[in-house]
Amino acid sequence: MTVCASSTGFAQTLAEPLAQEPTVVSQLAVPPPADNDQAQEASATPADPWEGFNRRTFKLNRGLDRYVFGPIGRGYMKITSKGVRNRVSSVVTNLGEPGTAINDLAQGRPRAAGVTTSRFLINSTVGGLGLFDVGAKLGLEGHRSDFGQTLGRYGAESGRYVVLPLLGPTTLRDGAGRLVDTMADPVAMATAGASNFGMIRGGVTSVDARANADGFIRALDDAADPYAMMRSAYLQNRADVVRQAKGGVQVLPDFDAARIEP
């Protein structure tokens, strides 16, 4: 999942949208949603009608992470400094900016789209292909937008919660959104002729996501019910992402300080 799973989709699902890692179970006890729509969404999905299938898939993903993806991620963390990992994360984030800009426009937020586009142009040039976040230093703060969030902004309910092999946790709405984002990724379309670029980008993104989610994944081992913790973290994160698109203020705690370093 963004917890586990092949640690790729799993880790990306939670770590990438918010660039946060919930590492303490108690931190998941966030204040009640201040928005009625968010309250309905948060209360509807925990019923988890596919829980039997989801738990089996979660167990499979955890096994893959324990013996395959976890060692790769931790090995990467051991042989690289935090500074190097930050630069890699910056490049990965920069490559996602065009997709974010498109979703900003789809959400009716042209100003946010303008900021995102400016960040991409500045960081891709002055920032050395995204190695350095020059845009942030100029006051252009980054954010993430995806099509699942866009659908949520216009009232689409999250639908049933599901854990997919390798890809990790999602909902029917967010899973469909992820598919659209993948198919309509401007960077992927622009580099379609570069046969190895997609593979390299996917591999780097996966390893980066696994490293960023390491604190949360480790915390699962100490949870009374790792599956329930993962589900709660994912659903709260996604509910907040949608609420932000509707103009709400983020209510989740700041998990950055809890990140576990190798």
Side-chain angles (χ1 to χ4, degrees), residues 17-205:
L18 297 180
Q20 295 171 332
E21 308 153 8
T23 59
V24 182
V25 178
S26 62
Q27 286 180 305
L28 298 178
V30 299
D35 181 288
N36 287 336
D37 291 338
Q38 184 188 5
Q40 291 175 1
E41 181 166 331
S43 63
T45 41
D48 198 359
W50 294 339
E51 184 170 354
F53 168 81
N54 288 339
R55 283 186 177 273
R56 289 191 293 273
T57 307
F58 176 74
K59 183 177 181 180
L60 169 66
N61 288 342
R62 289 267 284 170
L64 289 172
D65 185 75
R66 180 171 291 109
Y67 297 109
V68 181
F69 302 101
I72 292 174
R74 288 188 292 273
Y76 165 69
M77 295 171 73
K78 286 184 178 180
I79 65 175
T80 58
S81 66
K82 183 178 180 180
V84 170
R85 295 197 300 275
N86 286 344
R87 300 286 67 76
V88 172
S89 293
S90 183
V91 171
V92 169
T93 297
N94 189 58
L95 290 174
E97 299 277 36
T100 291
I102 289 176
N103 277 291
D104 287 339
L105 288 174
Q107 292 170 20
R109 299 192 296 164
R111 182 175 181 179
V115 170
T116 301
T117 301
S118 297
R119 282 177 48 80
F120 178 70
L121 294 175
I122 292 172
N123 290 339
S124 297
T125 54
V126 182
L129 299 179
L131 282 171
F132 301 95
D133 192 352
V134 179
K137 295 180 179 180
L138 297 176
L140 301 172
E141 294 298 331
H143 66 281
R144 291 287 297 168
S145 295
D146 57 63
F147 196 65
Q149 180 192 45
T150 300
L151 293 173
R153 171 174 169 78
Y154 293 114
E157 296 184 358
S158 63
R160 293 189 175 189
Y161 176 75
V162 58
V163 181
L164 300 175
L166 298 182
L167 297 179
T170 188
T171 61
L172 294 182
R173 180 195 67 204
D174 293 337
R178 186 189 300 181
L179 179 61
V180 171
D181 284 330
T182 300
M183 295 178 63
D185 179 14
V187 173
M189 291 189 288
T191 58
S195 59
N196 294 327
F197 179 80
M199 294 180 60
I200 295 173
R201 179 190 179 190
V204 172
T205 299

